[in-house]
Amino acid sequence: MTDVPAGMRSRNMEMHGHSPGVVLRSLVIGLTAFLTVVDLFATQAILPSLTKHYNVAPAAMGLAVNAATMGMAIAGLVVGLLSPHIDRRLGILLSLALLAVPTALLAVAPNLTVFTMLRVAQGLCMASAFALTLAYLGEQCSATDSGGAFAAYITGNVASNLIGRLASAGVVDTFGLASNFYFFAVLNLAGAALVYFTVQRVQPMHATPMLQPPFAAMLAHWRNPALRAAFGVGFCILFAFIGTFTYVNFVLVAPPLSLGRMELGFVYFVFLPSVVTTLLAGRAVTRFGTRRAIWGALAVTALGLPLLLSSHLAAVLTGMVLVGVGTFFAQAVATGFVGRATLANRGVASGTYLACYFLGGLVGSAVLGQLFDRFGWTACVAGVGATLIVAGALAARLRLPPESS
């Protein structure tokens, strides 16, 4: 689950050769987004199989799979600090090409420790490509094109949550665990090839100079109550999202639902509504304001939690739809707020937000995994609910400075 920080300034997007039409350009942008983060959550669809393969508890396997978020938190922060000095095309290209290495090695990981380290390496590569692509789009898209470009990128990210899980379940069911990781390594290389042939070589933009050293800028953002609250909201959103969509897999394959591998993959069509609703976040903020938009999204998420405890598949799927819609929507609103509330050094603010966001995913998988192992699915869902309450309280502090109003 990823999204696009708002507030980026735009220029003119260029591709090799003739400028493509709007449809082709959107397809390329969306496909790039898809191939960048498809590894992040695809592995969740095969969690039960991995747990059996490594003979570990669900919490241990869930933490290992979601260790990618640790790498993404680190890379998001580092790239945010160093972004003005990194060549966009080369950085994206290298990140996606290198991503194929740990992805392929996962097929032969001998134990859970090695598996976890390789997932961290995947996160480092994914977040680097992700952050640099956002910077490239913000700098190279015209004001007219930027809305469609970012919408295409959001759609590609949301689609990766669905198609990645479905593909992973299908490959494992047909060819086995090892083949799954080789398949995704090929997708990583396809992403690198796509970038090579479509992204024009450009230099980093310096239109917004750093007014202070990066570390000092980061500290200044932490001293801003509104930004600090936004960082906390981001932490809580991925905490709740990963806690839900990691451990619900074990519920779906256990009695009374007892879904098979391929059936588990098809379950993730629950993300389809989020493709549409996430694109409405900007309009909701304009009409209702940031706080009300986030509160509404959190309320939708909360409505889905009791349904996750049902013994009927239709009710559980409905609950998953609501959680997906609510958390994706809240994430879109929160990232947009960070862009509007930051008056200087936006790259550092966006990197800090992404670091907190992905750290929330890692902590969520660890804490909620322990609740799941020790006390069951009901306790895990209750933990998600408590996190939503914290996010709602933090959202009350999301106020724009007068200069941004």
Side-chain angles (χ1 to χ4, degrees), residues 226 229 233 291-292 294-295 298 390-399:
V233 170
R291 287 174 294 166
R292 290 182 179 178
I294 288 185
W295 285 334
L298 295 176
V390 174
L394 290 170
R397 305 178 184 180
L398 299 181
R399 300 177 184 274

Side-chain angles (χ1 to χ4, degrees), residues 99-120:
L99 174 58
V101 176
T103 303
L105 290 176
L106 282 169
V108 292
N111 53 56
L112 196 62
T113 300
V114 174
F115 185 97
T116 303
M117 293 173 64
L118 290 172
R119 285 292 286 174
V120 172

Side-chain angles (χ1 to χ4, degrees), residues 10 23 30 180 223 249 325 343 372 394:
S10 49
V23 174
N180 170 74
R223 287 193 290 267
N249 292 285
V325 166
L343 302 179
F372 182 81
L394 290 170

Side-chain angles (χ1 to χ4, degrees), residues 196-228:
Y196 180 83
F197 288 109
T198 60
V199 175
Q200 176 67 34
R201 186 184 302 278
V202 293
Q203 294 300 316
M205 306 298 288
H206 296 282
T208 307
M210 292 287 291
L211 301 179
Q212 56 191 149
F215 186 72
M218 184 177 64
L219 292 179
H221 292 324
W222 275 106
R223 287 193 290 267
N224 182 323
L227 283 178
R228 192 166 61 240

